[in-house]
Amino acid sequence: MTGTVAPGVAPVRRDASVTAVVGLLVLFEMMSGFTQMGITPLLPDLADAYGLGDSAANWVGSVQLLAATVCVPLFGRLGDLYGHRRMLRVALVCVAAGSLLVAVAPTPALLWGGRALQGPLAALLPLEIALVRSRLSVPDARRAIARLVGALTVGGLLGAASMGAAAGALGGVRAALLVPALLAAVCVPLSFVAVPESEARGAGAMDWSGFALLALGATALLLGVSALEHDGGVGPRVLLGAVSGVLLLVWWVRAELRSRDPLVDVRALTGRRTGPFYAAACCFGVVFFAAQAPDTTFLAADPDSAGYGFALSSARISLVLLPGIVAAVVGSALTVPLARRIGYRRVLAWSFALVAAGFAVLAVRHVSLGEIVATKVVAGLGLGIALSAMPTVVVEAADRDRGGVATALYNNVKSFGGSVAGGVMAAILAASAHRPGAARETPAEGAYVLVWLLCAVCALAGAGTTLLARRSEDPDGVAAA
């Protein structure tokens, strides 16, 4: 995506109408966070409603992340060309339709189709950032963006904390899923009330071939990973999907490098100053997105039949997850004060270290709810800090006129890392469920341990790449920012 929110390019005059409507954009982000995080405690109930195993339930999250991978650059680029407000409205319509389909879908295929329609959730924030950057002064835009990111975090907290209880109070998971569908439906007409259009327009044309290659490559790769679950190991379907996906993505990269109007600025992925941060963003996507579903299915597992777990309902799962999410909100609030003392890069490295410690301890100690809550608080604190610090270090490491492109690419890499890792983790759980003598669709405890250890390793890799980026900067760079 090119030129979405690049500072210094769009007008920076103050616009009172935009200032007044920031609260409306905040509402959209709260809905986004609520919808994204609210489904996590409901995964066991969804699995029961559709007759899915624990491993298959992981794909409910992966499908949405895969759709987000292609929606972020698509909606961002179309917003550059035809207006960010216009694409914001299209995104909200897609999310509303997808949320309704998720709530009423009669089959798993339609459930996953609804989750795919929710992919533009990830595009809302970049589009909103483009709007405020286009119409507000730089200081006002920064304050508005901080409010939007905070609203996303708070919305996620409310969703994770309340959706499990809503399922119990409303009589089932389908009724509870109507809550985010209603919120999204309300946001659609509100987007036509007062939201002004961005003033800047990007040059060039839409890179439809680049979009097609990205979508086909990402889908083929994830289908190859999903075949691991059905085949119980590496087989022809796994190799065909994985190889096809990699080749298509390589083709896409080469095409983007040659394009005059690329969908994604892939050159930034290999830059010495920015490349390591995008690698860290991919690691962040793994630990932030991909581990949510395994944690939920572990808590819901019946210890009498599986030999592990706590047989928790959706409402109790929400309560167990709540302290970790609150810790993430606290970590997000602590990011700026900590960064003033030691710099954003050191803060980011330490946040990844906290996440690694939380997952490593969880892999060793998970026999009581107290142990799980304690590890989730440690990991949640690190995730909250990283969630706030990561966009800052990515933008500050990029060229001054490429901040918007850097933000969009960060969101894209983060979603892609989460989607692929979610598929891998689902395959790990499924492979253990297919072991001789195993109960039907019941993963082994060791599979969860392996998932948590992989998350710990990814978090350590994120810390390492962050430090590598720091060493590669110029002495006068932004290491102390």
Side-chain angles (χ1 to χ4, degrees), residues 154-168:
V154 172
L157 169 63
L158 293 175
S162 64
M163 283 295 282

Side-chain angles (χ1 to χ4, degrees), residues 21 23-25 27-28 31 85 88-89 92 182-196:
V21 86
L24 201 56
L25 301 181
L27 175 62
F28 298 163
M31 179 278 296
R85 180 184 64 179
L88 178 66
R89 292 169 174 172
L92 287 171
L182 177 62
L183 292 176
V186 169
C187 289
V188 173
L190 289 178
S191 68
F192 287 84
V193 173
V195 179

Side-chain angles (χ1 to χ4, degrees), residues 45-376:
D45 287 345
L46 274 175
D48 291 340
Y50 289 97
L52 302 175
D54 289 349
S55 57
N58 286 265
W59 287 101
V60 175
S62 296
V63 168
Q64 192 270 333
L65 290 173
L66 174 64
T69 299
V70 296
C71 284
V72 170
L74 173 66
F75 278 73
R77 182 56 179 158
L78 290 175
D80 291 344
L81 296 175
Y82 304 112
H84 300 100
R85 180 184 64 179
R86 178 178 298 178
M87 296 312 302
L88 178 66
R89 292 169 174 172
V90 174
L92 287 171
V93 170
C94 290
V95 170
S99 299
L100 180 60
L101 183 56
V102 167
V104 302
T107 65
L110 288 176
L111 169 67
W112 288 318
R115 290 292 286 166
L117 279 173
Q118 290 179 327
L121 279 168
L124 293 179
L125 184 60
L127 290 169
E128 292 159 354
I129 290 175
L131 280 170
V132 299
R133 282 284 185 91
S134 173
R135 303 296 293 261
L136 294 180
S137 65
V138 172
D140 288 337
R142 287 175 177 171
R143 284 190 289 270
I145 292 168
R147 293 190 186 101
L148 292 173
V149 175
L152 179 65
T153 305
V154 172
L157 169 63
L158 293 175
S162 64
M163 283 295 282
L170 298 176
V173 63
R174 293 182 184 275
L177 287 171
L178 287 173
V179 174
L182 177 62
L183 292 176
V186 169
C187 289
V188 173
L190 289 178
S191 68
F192 287 84
V193 173
V195 179
E197 184 58 274
S198 52
E199 295 184 339
R201 286 290 187 275
M206 175 62 194
D207 181 16
W208 288 110
S209 61
F211 166 72
L213 285 173
L214 175 60
L216 290 173
T219 302
L221 183 60
L222 201 60
L223 287 175
V225 173
S226 69
L228 281 170
E229 177 180 347
H230 300 289
D231 297 351
V234 178
R237 291 195 301 173
V238 176
L239 293 176
L240 177 62
V243 172
S244 299
V246 170
L247 290 178
L248 284 168
L249 290 175
V250 170
W251 184 8
W252 169 72
V253 170
R254 291 174 62 88
E256 293 296 280
L257 290 174
R258 293 194 300 266
S259 175
R260 295 181 59 184
D261 301 303
L263 181 71
V264 175
D265 183 16
V266 296
R267 286 184 175 86
L269 293 174
T270 59
R272 291 186 62 196
R273 290 182 52 159
T274 56
F277 287 126
Y278 289 122
C282 185
C283 294
F284 179 79
V286 173
V287 297
F288 186 72
F289 292 119
Q292 293 179 14
D295 289 349
T296 303
T297 55
F298 182 88
L299 290 170
D302 186 350
D304 293 333
S305 58
Y308 59 84
F310 303 92
L312 298 185
S313 64
S314 295
R316 295 189 65 190
I317 289 173
S318 291
L319 292 177
V320 172
L321 297 178
L322 181 59
I325 299 171
V326 171
V329 175
V330 173
S332 179
L334 291 174
T335 301
V336 173
L338 290 173
R340 287 172 180 166
R341 289 180 173 272
I342 64 175
Y344 271 99
R345 281 148 188 78
R346 290 189 183 94
V347 166
L348 185 58
W350 279 109
S351 70
F352 273 118
L354 283 174
V355 175
F359 277 108
V361 174
L362 180 61
V364 178
R365 301 293 304 176
H366 48 265
V367 297
S368 72
L369 287 177
E371 292 173 345
I372 292 178
V373 169
T375 58
K376 286 303 172 185

Side-chain angles (χ1 to χ4, degrees), residues 7 133 390-400 402-404 406-407:
R133 282 284 185 91
M390 181 73 72
T392 300
V393 297
V394 168
V395 171
E396 294 295 337
D399 293 337
R400 291 185 181 275
R402 306 291 286 176
T407 303

